[in-house]
Amino acid sequence: MNVTVNVNGKSYTRDVEPRTLLVHFIREELALTGTHVGCDTSQCGACTVHLNGDAVKSCTLLAVQADGMDVTTIEGIGTVADLHPLQTGFWEEHGLQCGFCTPGMIMSSAELLKHTPNPTEDQIRHHLEGNYCRCTGYHNIVRAVQHAASAMQGNAAADD
């Protein structure tokens, strides 16, 4: 089946098997390997991307279900020269160790901050319940999200 998906602002059309998962389409067809395959059962959150602005686990969707939609992956939320505040937060607050969960954590956290610009620690922990980290214990991840929230509010105040 032909699928056309707008990924990180660029349109891609590919012929895919109808059973191709969105995560495999992103990684194998588009060579965007920042989205990780962790469990293939939607338990770990390593495959989280934004679909039309909402965080989804891309191992639970078929590529054909994303036909005509906008997808944002970790590669699309910041650049090396201009990191997203969440990427900076994870760096500054040591929110990663092995890094495997980090793209999914950042994508999930970005959705949280879009809807809740100044989340409490409990709100952050609750929102990230579907994202597993086996290394950090989450304390630094929570601090990284708080760091980003603060930076984003500072940027918003500076823009006013």
Side-chain angles (χ1 to χ4, degrees), residues 11 13 15 31-32 36 40 72 76 113-114 125 127 151 158 160:
S11 182
T13 300
D15 185 36
L32 297 171
H36 295 156
D40 268 338
T72 305
L113 295 180
K114 180 172 81 172
R125 288 182 181 279
H127 191 81
D160 289 340

Side-chain angles (χ1 to χ4, degrees), residues 11 13 19 37 43 46-47 51 54 57 59-60 76 79 96 98 104 113 123-124 127 136 155:
S11 182
T13 300
R19 65 179 182 223
V37 179
Q43 300 296 313
C47 67
L51 184 65
D54 296 322
K57 295 177 180 176
C59 74
T60 64
T79 66
L96 61 104
C98 82
L113 295 180
Q123 287 173 313
I124 295 168
H127 191 81
T136 68
N155 288 342

Side-chain angles (χ1 to χ4, degrees), residues 44-130:
C44 74
C47 67
T48 303
V49 299
H50 292 176
L51 184 65
N52 286 348
D54 296 322
V56 298
K57 295 177 180 176
S58 60
C59 74
T60 64
L61 293 168
L62 300 172
V64 296
Q65 291 175 288
D67 189 34
M69 295 189 181
D70 293 322
V71 175
T72 305
T73 68
I74 190 68
E75 291 91 347
I77 99 165
T79 66
V80 173
D82 186 25
L83 294 176
H84 185 280
L86 279 162
Q87 293 168 314
T88 301
F90 271 73
W91 176 272
E92 294 291 330
E93 299 297 332
H94 309 285
L96 61 104
Q97 285 182 12
C98 82
F100 190 80
C101 71
T102 304
M105 289 283 187
I106 288 174
M107 298 306 289
S108 291
S109 297
E111 180 188 49
L112 170 65
L113 295 180
K114 180 172 81 172
H115 298 293
T116 310
N118 189 25
T120 65
E121 179 178 340
D122 286 342
Q123 287 173 313
I124 295 168
R125 288 182 181 279
H126 178 73
H127 191 81
L128 293 177
E129 283 179 352

